[in-house]
Every structure is written in C-alpha cells, then in structure tokens.
C-alpha cells in the first residue's frame, strides 16, 4: 500500500494544535524545543496558550503549522510509517519538503519565518480586501463586479471562478 501525506496551510491553525501529541511523545517536545531555540519563539505558549488572534498572525501561523506538521511527520516515521508521496497546501509545502528529507527543521523554520515576515510587510502596505462568496455563478459575479466598477474602474475583480 502506498502512503501519501498532505500538509495543511494557513487557516488550519488553532490554539491547542498538537497538544495531545506533545504531552505523550518526547520527540514532539524535542521539536518544540529545537524550534524555540532556532527563531526565539515560545511555541508551547503560542500553540497551546495563545489567542486565536495571536496565532492567526502570519509569522506565528506559518511557523506553528510547519512545526506541528513536521513534528507529526517525524513521529510517524519513527513509528515506521514512511510516506511514498508528500505534498503541501500553501506553506504546507515547507513541511512536505522536511518530510521528504529536503531540508532540516532549522532551515525550514528560518526560511518560512523570513517569508512570512516579508509577506506580512507586503500585506500591510496594500489597500486591498478579499471576500469569499459561495453560491453565485461566475457570470453573476462578473456582472456585479462590472456594475460596481462603473463608479470606480478596476476596483473589484473576480479572482477565482469555479464551474
């Protein structure tokens, strides 16, 4: 049987993620300790005792999801469960690279932390917003955008449509 691991991205974070595994497995605790020494973040506090708002911050969410995902993948490997295929959604690609042996935890944390910082700086300078709408077809959405854009050209766009 083939085994695939898919690693989640931004939006999958929640306060308490990985807590039971942390409490039960030394290897998970070691990952948290190593991560804290790499980028000077108290991941135990961040993942288990912070607020949703704090954990939702780009740098915190990205690194915390990477840490928990990577620790789980390593625990599974320790238990003899080795994936044949790995993939990641959004920054879950970083954990997939670690699971595939492409880099180490410190390398992944450092790069992801830098990326998240640059990304947050970019977002802070943009005057933009996004809205997810479910249940309207693409033609209706395009008509609505065109109607809104009559008063302010090129202000509203359909970014992704599903058929």
């Amino acid at each position: 049987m083939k085994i695939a691991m898919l690693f989640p991205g931004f939006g999958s974070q929640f306060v308490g993620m990985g807590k039971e595994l942390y409490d039960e497995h030394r290897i998970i605790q070691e990952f948290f300790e190593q991560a804290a020494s790499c980028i000077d973040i108290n991941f135990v506090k961040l993942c288990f005792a912070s607020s949703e708002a704090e954990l939702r911050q780009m740098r915190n969410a990205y690194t915390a999801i990477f840490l928990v995902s990577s620790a789980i993948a390593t625990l599974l490997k320790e238990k003899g469960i080795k994936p044949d295929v790995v993939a990641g959604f959004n920054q879950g690609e970083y954990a997939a690279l670690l699971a595939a042996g492409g880099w180490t935890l410190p390398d992944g944390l450092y790069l992801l932390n830098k990326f998240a910082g640059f990304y947050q700086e970019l977002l802070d300078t943009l005057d933009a917003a996004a809205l997810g709408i479910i249940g309207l077809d693409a033609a209706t959405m395009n008509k609505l955008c065109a109607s809104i854009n009559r008063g302010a050209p090129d202000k509203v766009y359909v970014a992704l449509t599903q058929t």
Side-chain angles (χ1 to χ4, degrees):
M1 175 183 1
K2 300 273 184 192
I3 296 174
M5 287 185 186
L6 177 61
F7 297 93
F10 184 81
S12 62
Q13 73 275 0
F14 62 93
V15 175
M17 64 180 178
K19 176 76 167 97
E20 289 180 30
L21 293 171
Y22 178 89
D23 290 343
E24 295 175 13
H25 298 282
R26 181 66 191 139
I27 193 167
I28 304 287
Q29 296 165 11
E30 290 170 357
F31 258 71
F32 273 70
E33 291 165 9
Q34 185 180 11
S37 69
C38 288
I39 59 173
D40 197 30
I41 292 176
N42 182 340
F43 282 101
V44 171
K45 180 182 176 193
L46 178 64
C47 291
F48 308 147
S50 68
S51 67
E52 291 291 339
E54 184 178 5
L55 190 55
R56 195 178 316 113
Q57 293 174 12
M58 198 71 56
R59 182 170 278 146
N60 292 339
Y62 277 25
T63 54
I65 293 167
F66 171 71
L67 169 61
V68 173
S69 296
S70 299
I72 292 169
T74 301
L75 174 63
L76 291 172
K77 282 184 184 179
E78 184 181 77
K79 300 291 183 185
I81 301 170
K82 297 180 180 159
D84 298 292
V85 176
V86 294
F89 173 73
N90 193 286
Q91 90 285 352
E93 296 167 348
Y94 285 72
L97 280 169
L98 185 137
W103 57 28
T104 64
L105 179 68
D107 291 339
L109 278 169
Y110 177 78
L111 289 171
L112 191 53
N113 191 45
K114 285 293 187 188
F115 171 77
F118 294 143
Y119 189 38
Q120 188 61 59
E121 284 179 32
L122 172 67
L123 291 176
D124 291 344
T125 64
L126 292 178
D127 181 21
L131 176 65
I133 299 175
I134 299 171
L136 289 179
D137 61 89
T140 303
M141 285 303 305
N142 283 320
K143 284 180 187 176
L144 287 170
C145 289
S147 172
I148 293 167
N149 285 336
R150 279 189 217 128
D154 300 324
K155 288 287 189 178
V156 181
Y157 300 93
V158 174
L160 177 67
T161 61
Q162 296 179 0
T163 56

